[in-house]
Amino acid sequence: MTSIEENGVPVLLTIRGEQYFDGTDPDATELMTEGTMTVTPEGISFSYEESALTGMEGTTTTFEVREPQVILTRSGAVNSQMIFEEGRQHTSLYETPFGELTVDIQTSRLRHNLTGRGGLMEIKYSIAVEHTVTGRNCFKIRVRRR
């Protein structure tokens, strides 16, 4: 392993998020941003700084790919951790400036072909806030080395 991989390599991330609510068209957002990717014996992680565009300015978002899970961690202005594992439900705490919420994540699909050169990741999941399902979501993330 080279020292570059340990410290993270610059990557370009294309993140498409889709939210589905009953009876409405999907709400889709797409973000292109620069970030870093790190390859370790445990897996691959990539992170980026949120912007005013996402409403989470001052927050760092990190995706850690550790088979069979992907862990999404946000730290800074917004603090949360979401664990995605296909066919399983995980409960976590979501901190906001207004208080804490319990969030249940039920992952229906988790696919990726990420390597040290980048790749694609897709996560489909439903989210329940305080045990009430609020919608279905999908992340599609493309990671490319810069």
Side-chain angles (χ1 to χ4, degrees), residues 9-13 33-37 117 143-146:
V9 295
V11 291
L12 186 63
L13 302 167
T33 188
E34 295 179 348
T36 57
M37 179 175 64
R117 291 189 301 278
V143 182
R144 288 192 310 255
R145 286 180 87 143
R146 288 205 315 260

Side-chain angles (χ1 to χ4, degrees), residues 70-74 80-84 92 103 105 125 127:
V70 172
I71 302 165
L72 183 162
T73 306
R74 289 193 168 112
S80 68
Q81 184 179 68
M82 298 163 88
I83 300 172
F84 303 99
S92 61
V103 179
I105 304 295
Y125 63 99
I127 189 166

Side-chain angles (χ1 to χ4, degrees), residues 63-129:
F63 285 87
E64 288 179 81
V65 181
R66 296 179 175 206
E67 299 301 336
Q69 300 177 339
V70 172
I71 302 165
L72 183 162
T73 306
R74 289 193 168 112
S75 56
V78 173
N79 293 293
S80 68
Q81 184 179 68
M82 298 163 88
I83 300 172
F84 303 99
E85 185 175 355
E86 191 169 306
R88 302 250 345 247
Q89 176 174 299
H90 289 274
T91 301
S92 61
L93 209 54
Y94 195 94
E95 289 180 33
T96 73
F98 312 104
E100 296 178 345
L101 299 170
T102 302
V103 179
D104 302 319
I105 304 295
Q106 177 74 45
T107 306
S108 58
R109 181 178 172 89
L110 173 57
R111 298 282 185 273
H112 76 86
N113 63 1
L114 293 168
T115 68
R117 291 189 301 278
L120 290 169
M121 180 168 67
E122 179 182 44
I123 302 172
K124 289 185 178 179
Y125 63 99
S126 62
I127 189 166
V129 177

